[in-house]
Amino acid sequence: MLTINLIREKKDFVIERLKVKNFDAGEIVEKIILLDSSRRELQTGTDSLQSEMNQISRKIGAMMKDNPVSGADEARAKTHLLKEEIRSLSEKLAAVEDALREEIISLPNLPHESVPAGRGADDNLIVRDGGVMMEIPSDALPHWDLIRKYDIIDFELGIKLTGAGFPVYKGKGAKLERALISYFLDQAVKAGYTEILPPVVVNEASGFGTGQLPDKEGQMYHIGADNLYLIPTAEVPVTNIYRDVILNADNLPVKNVAYTPCFRREAGSWGAHVRGLNRLHQFDKVEIVQITHPGHSYEALEEMVTHVEGLVSSLGLPYRIVRLCGGDMSFTSALTYDFEVWSAAQKKWLEVSSVSNFESFQANRLKCRFREKGDKHTRLAHTLNGSALALPRIVAALLENYQTGSGIVIPDVLIPYTGFKIIT
RNA sequence: GGAGAAAUGGCAGAGUGGUCGAUUGCGGCGGUCUUGAAAACCGUUGUCCGGGCGACUGGACCGGGGGUUCGAAUCCCUCUUUCUCCGCCA
């Protein structure tokens, strides 16, 4: 969430920037300004009443000590009215605080100045591309046919066990999946990330910290009996490690990487365009997360983009990097780069990574702060994350792009992990 | 799952109704001493929200929430977590 200071001091700027996300903040911001000043007024009021009350209590205490049968009763009588006033005023204060908070959390993050305006995917900006479009046979198959032909992923079995969107990986398919996970993790560790293996079920506070709750409640699977959520991404547990944490500036940046399965309900988003591995309810993903000094978060973002680019390019997949326009960005992000790989048989670009800087938006919800050495005050850190990478669409692209008459060829970098060079 | 005990500042650990935001030790930071370091000694050391240009000042926080009381770290209720014993178990 945005900080109240920013809204208070630069409200026109806030409103202006949010237009890039096609969000009309005018009314909400005005409401926030009013609630905020009323909040402060109420606080000053309750504080001074409370102060008065504390003084009387202390006086009674002193009287009791000096002379237990003194006129303490008289002083005590005075407190009743005061107590009522405090009660009613602090009830008002609490109500205003709740209302204020509700308004503030409804505001999305401000987009970075480099974010292009726009409504949707068509307005995204292609930053650069790489890799070579490879020649594939004229009778090339889409991946959903390939997985059946080589019997490496079984959707029907998944439907039997769970339901649509929960595929079963088998044989060389399972091994390829595991190879990709290991490869991605190893590359991240080489780049200085610490490997984390977090819980895949989180509580409400964690869901709120990274911004999934309350707005995107429907995206996550909810375990009602225990009020817990299956994670839609490792971002949630890994970033929440730093909830309510004050870091030492010397320890920044924090760089973590985690593999987890990810669970998404994807309610209402099914259709012909999401066949096969294109969209699933459960999928594997390796995620990189950084917590940085506010002055260095955009350097970190570039570093993460470079890391992801290295992965995609080492797999020999044609790719392009896209800077999302305001309308296509997430609620929490200030700047997002998407990575797309070319799916040769489907003849379309598939999103395989999304790398974002959230600046202090998540950190403010998380209360993730840091302190400069010798500095008395804490400041909000910046948080970033990116997929490195999401597996299913990578697998889809690998299968389609590397299909040959004799089988599916495994890219060189993966062979040490798969132990085989071709899927036949 | 059953029975019992506990939850205090970065850590350890006092505090059972009245200047307790909290004794003390360790750790951290600053200083004295030293060529440097260690030791010793001295000082300092939580977070959040207000008010004030500022010196400074008011309020809240002792696992979370609620209650009793003029006054709660201390008493009561409730939730959560941890530990011990029993049961179950990959």
Side-chain angles (χ1 to χ4, degrees), chain A residues 116-385:
Chain A
R119 289 264 149 209
D122 292 343
D123 300 314
N124 293 341
L125 194 78
I126 296 171
V127 177
R128 61 176 177 271
D129 49 34
V132 193
M133 299 286 192
M134 42 198 88
E135 297 286 322
I136 57 167
S138 54
D139 57 346
L141 298 172
H143 69 269
W144 50 83
D145 288 333
L146 292 167
I147 60 174
R148 204 187 282 270
K149 177 174 174 186
Y150 296 106
D151 194 24
I152 49 176
I153 300 176
D154 194 330
F155 284 99
E156 287 70 27
L157 196 49
I159 288 167
K160 172 183 171 185
L161 301 180
T162 309
F166 292 88
V168 177
Y169 300 77
K170 302 197 293 194
K172 285 186 172 172
K175 193 72 188 285
L176 175 62
E177 190 81 0
R178 184 151 60 90
L180 283 163
I181 293 166
S182 296
Y183 172 63
F184 293 153
L185 283 172
D186 285 354
Q187 291 302 113
V189 169
K190 267 187 207 156
Y193 290 85
T194 300
E195 186 173 343
I196 304 281
L197 189 61
V200 298
V201 178
V202 293
N203 58 27
E204 222 173 347
S206 294
F208 177 80
T210 32
Q212 280 72 25
L213 295 175
D215 341 304
K216 281 176 266 169
E217 176 121 34
Q219 180 197 46
M220 293 190 286
Y221 286 98
H222 183 225
I223 304 170
D226 299 292
N227 194 26
L228 297 171
Y229 295 86
L230 296 190
I231 59 169
T233 158
E235 162 196 351
V236 180
V238 175
T239 310
N240 271 281
I241 293 172
Y242 303 93
R243 170 153 49 85
D244 294 318
V245 167
I246 299 173
L247 291 152
N248 206 316
D250 296 345
N251 296 329
L252 298 176
V254 169
K255 296 170 73 174
N256 286 331
V257 60
Y259 153 72
T260 65
C262 301
F263 304 90
R264 298 191 182 175
R265 294 186 61 230
E266 305 287 2
S269 66
W270 293 88
H273 61 296
V274 292
R275 273 188 84 175
L277 294 168
N278 291 355
R279 177 157 300 168
L280 301 169
H281 284 309
Q282 178 179 336
F283 63 97
D284 294 309
K285 180 159 63 67
V286 173
E287 183 83 2
I288 50 177
V289 172
Q290 290 207 30
I291 316 281
T292 75
H293 187 285
H296 299 138
S297 62
Y298 282 95
E299 284 163 44
L301 183 67
E302 291 310 314
E303 180 201 304
M304 289 166 78
V305 165
T306 304
H307 178 75
V308 174
E309 188 170 9
L311 295 179
V312 175
S313 124
S314 73
L315 292 172
L317 295 171
Y319 65 91
R320 62 181 194 187
I321 305 175
V322 166
R323 183 184 295 156
L324 295 192
C325 73
D328 211 19
M329 281 170 75
S330 76
F331 187 80
T332 45
S333 175
L335 180 58
T336 297
Y337 290 101
D338 272 6
F339 278 72
E340 299 175 337
V341 298
W342 182 246
S343 178
Q346 293 185 75
K347 295 194 174 20
K348 62 186 212 181
W349 292 99
L350 299 179
E351 183 194 331
V352 293
S353 175
S354 191
V355 186
S356 303
N357 186 356
F358 305 99
E359 298 191 4
S360 62
F361 191 83
Q362 282 183 333
N364 193 31
R365 288 178 160 228
L366 293 159
K367 294 202 194 73
C368 170
R369 293 156 292 171
F370 73 98
R371 198 198 321 265
E372 218 75 70
K373 200 182 172 91
D375 202 338
K376 196 169 163 49
H377 297 287
T378 60
R379 295 170 62 191
L380 291 172
H382 279 193
T383 63
L384 304 95
N385 67 50

